[in-house]
Amino acid sequence: MSNNRYMLQNVSTGRCMDTNGTDLYMSSCSSADSGQRWISFDSFHSWQAANGKVLVQWDTYVVGLSAIDDIDDSRKYSWTNTFSM
């Protein structure tokens, strides 16, 4: 997508990461869905939703959205691309 906004699509299911601003879920990909447009920062290692919250994995292994100032460790919102064959 343009304007540094990207869709995060699961390779296996073909579905996209989506949010209503509070919850995260997978749904059919649609470029018209603003909840599926993610802003990349930190060299594609961090992802921010349209509402300004970032994609985070908590110590309990739950994935969610949070204001960046509420996260105690930047590694919780750092992601890496992994490709397997």
Side-chain angles (χ1 to χ4, degrees), residues 1-34:
M1 299 187 74
S2 60
N3 299 328
N4 297 325
R5 297 184 189 272
Y6 302 87
M7 295 174 75
L8 305 177
Q9 185 178 34
N10 181 280
V11 176
S12 177
T13 65
R15 296 175 67 83
C16 286
M17 179 72 72
D18 202 346
T19 182
N20 59 11
T22 304
D23 302 311
L24 284 175
Y25 47 91
M26 302 302 288
S27 61
S28 298
C29 297
S30 170
S31 60
D33 184 344
S34 63

Side-chain angles (χ1 to χ4, degrees), residues 11 82-85:
V11 176
T82 304
F83 300 96
S84 61
M85 301 301 254

Side-chain angles (χ1 to χ4, degrees), residues 7 16 18 20 36 40 45 48 62 64:
M7 295 174 75
C16 286
D18 202 346
N20 59 11
Q36 293 183 10
S40 169
H45 292 290
Q48 183 177 41
V62 173

Side-chain angles (χ1 to χ4, degrees), residues 14-80:
R15 296 175 67 83
C16 286
M17 179 72 72
D18 202 346
T19 182
N20 59 11
T22 304
D23 302 311
L24 284 175
Y25 47 91
M26 302 302 288
S27 61
S28 298
C29 297
S30 170
S31 60
D33 184 344
S34 63
Q36 293 183 10
R37 293 186 220 140
W38 296 86
I39 301 165
S40 169
F41 66 100
D42 191 26
S43 301
F44 292 97
H45 292 290
S46 301
W47 297 95
Q48 183 177 41
N51 65 358
K53 293 184 177 180
V54 296
L55 186 60
V56 60
Q57 178 182 321
W58 299 109
D59 293 333
T60 57
Y61 302 104
V62 173
V63 176
L65 292 172
S66 180
I68 201 164
D69 292 339
D70 294 337
I71 304 170
D72 62 349
D73 185 341
S74 65
R75 293 175 296 179
K76 291 180 180 175
Y77 60 85
S78 294
W79 300 85
T80 186

